[in-house]
Each structure stands twice: as structure tokens, then as C-alpha cells.
Amino acid sequence: MSTSLTTCEWKKVFYEKMEVAKPADSWELIIDPDLKPTELAPGWKQYLEQHASGRFHCSWCWHTWRSSHVVILFHMHLDRAQRMGSVRMRVFKQLCYQCGTARLDESSMLEENIEALVDNLITSLRGQCYDEDAGQYRIHVASRPDSGPHRSEFCEACQEGIVHWKPSQKLLEEEATYTFSDASKPRAQEGSGYNFFSLRWCLFGASLCLLIVYLQFSFRGSPFL
């Protein structure tokens, strides 16, 4: 049941966002478990999501685990004359390492994760199918704690030769800098103002001390009347 609910949620989010991004065109989303990477029909484009976050539930021993290495493959095609597009999608599965069964299990995802992944899909779609500059991809794995080292022997994507990619520390730092830049600007201005006034008061105090010393020496050097 969770799989069907996740599929419906994928389609719901995709259709809603495409209605906003490309209201003049009609797009469909098809789940295709037999989709193969780099095996593209003429005119089709590919987008590979390599750092999605999802939760798995073993249908045999009921063991659950979280992974930030879920791979999702998309193939996209746009018929410009008919103004119709199609996206075929495959979420790669993982094996349960608790019971060792050969049964591959599918992942379920939170709605916020699906929305971020659909945003990435639409960014790639607009760039490859419409030749538009749609901006940067969303890196949402930074806020998710990693569940540990990835075990490729239990990963369907790894077994099919897909090399996983994880955002580098430099990329995550750049994203954090971009995200919090607006919030940090007022603090920086306040800090610079505080330093300016402190320097001014220091100069004022030093000038006052010099004036007092000068007056003392002036009175000492003056003759008594």
C-alpha cells in the first residue's frame, strides 16, 4: 500500500508543478521498473538523481532502514509539434541486509523529499527539453543525517553499474552560505557599526588624556604671581 501511495504522490506533485512551469504543454509521468540508464530512444533525454533520501521496509522480516543513497532514473521526451511530453521514472530498490533475502524492496519518501526531487526533475527537463536556463538544483541531502556507509552489494543501482554521487563538503558549504547570506548581512552591518563607534570612543579618550597631560605640564611651567 505504501508503494501505491508513494506513486500517487509522485504523480500528484509532478502534475501540479508542471501545470505551473509549463501550462501550455501536457505532460505525463509513467513508472517504468525496466528503465535502463543510457539506453535512450531517439529524441529522449536522461536525468539521474543520485542522492535522494528514502526509507525502506522489508516485506519479509519487517526490518526498516533509511538511506540517503536512493537512485532515481528519469527518461524525458517532448513532442514540440503536439505540445505533449512524457517522463518515464524508475526508483532503484535495495536488499534487506538484516535477513539476507533476495527480495528487492522499494522505498517510501516524505512529501517534502518528493517535492524537492520533482523540482530537480523539472530543472533538468526545462534545460534539456526546452533549452532553458532553469537555475540550480536543490541539494536537500545536507539536512538529512547519513545512515552510515553505503553497502553496494545490497543496492540495485550499484549492481547495474551506476556510480553513486554524494555532494562534496565544498558544495554543501556553498549552499549553506547561499541560504544564510541574507540572514547574516544585518548581523555583519551591526558588527561593523559597533567596531566603528568603539574606535571613535578610543580616539576620543586618547585625545582627552593628552589634553589633561598638556594642561598639567602647562600649569607646572607657569611662574607664580
Side-chain angles (χ1 to χ4, degrees):
M1 181 177 295
S2 61
T3 301
S4 61
L5 289 176
T6 302
T7 300
C8 293
E9 188 64 30
W10 270 98
K11 292 186 176 182
K12 173 179 174 291
V13 174
F14 176 75
Y15 293 144
E16 289 177 351
K17 289 183 176 290
M18 284 305 298
E19 183 66 26
V20 175
K22 294 296 176 183
D25 296 340
S26 177
W27 281 85
E28 63 174 352
L29 178 64
I30 301 172
I31 308 300
D32 185 354
D34 298 322
L35 208 62
K36 299 293 183 181
T38 68
E39 295 184 7
L40 296 168
W44 285 73
K45 308 294 182 181
Q46 174 174 298
Y47 169 62
L48 186 65
E49 181 72 59
Q50 304 180 60
H51 49 268
S53 178
R55 179 180 293 275
F56 291 84
H57 179 85
C58 180
S59 56
W60 181 259
C61 71
W62 307 106
H63 172 64
T64 61
W65 68 97
R66 182 179 298 174
S67 175
S68 58
H69 305 279
V70 182
V71 177
I72 308 175
L73 176 65
F74 300 96
H75 285 181
M76 309 166 290
H77 179 264
L78 172 64
D79 187 336
R80 294 180 178 269
Q82 300 293 327
R83 303 192 69 88
M84 297 179 61
S86 178
V87 175
R88 308 187 76 87
M89 166 186 167
R90 176 187 178 184
V91 181
F92 286 86
K93 304 174 184 179
Q94 292 186 11
L95 291 169
C96 177
Y97 58 86
Q98 188 74 23
C99 64
T101 180
R103 187 193 303 268
L104 287 164
D105 295 292
E106 297 180 350
S107 66
S108 59
M109 297 181 180
L110 298 175
E111 182 177 353
E112 60 182 31
N113 286 356
I114 293 177
E115 290 185 355
L117 294 168
V118 170
D119 285 339
N120 285 352
L121 168 62
I122 294 177
T123 298
S124 177
L125 184 149
R126 294 178 64 178
Q128 296 195 73
C129 296
Y130 291 95
D131 299 323
E132 297 178 357
D133 183 8
Q136 296 182 347
Y137 294 91
R138 291 180 59 178
I139 307 296
H140 56 279
V141 73
S143 60
R144 298 282 186 271
D146 198 351
S147 56
H150 182 60
R151 305 178 68 173
S152 59
E153 65 271 23
F154 298 101
C155 175
E156 185 182 29
C158 290
Q159 297 305 313
E160 295 197 13
I162 298 177
V163 179
H164 285 261
W165 176 84
K166 188 175 181 181
S168 64
Q169 186 63 31
K170 182 176 183 299
L171 182 58
L172 297 182
E173 291 174 356
E174 289 176 354
E175 183 203 32
T177 302
Y178 175 79
T179 304
F180 297 104
S181 60
D182 293 337
S184 62
K185 285 180 181 179
R187 296 181 181 179
Q189 292 175 355
E190 293 175 3
S192 61
Y194 175 79
N195 293 335
F196 172 74
F197 284 109
S198 298
L199 178 61
R200 188 172 66 177
W201 279 109
C202 289
L203 293 175
F204 176 77
S207 301
L208 185 60
C209 290
L210 291 175
L211 179 61
I212 294 174
V213 172
Y214 172 76
L215 292 175
Q216 287 179 348
F217 277 101
S218 298
F219 281 114
R220 289 180 181 179
S222 300
F224 291 96
L225 298 177

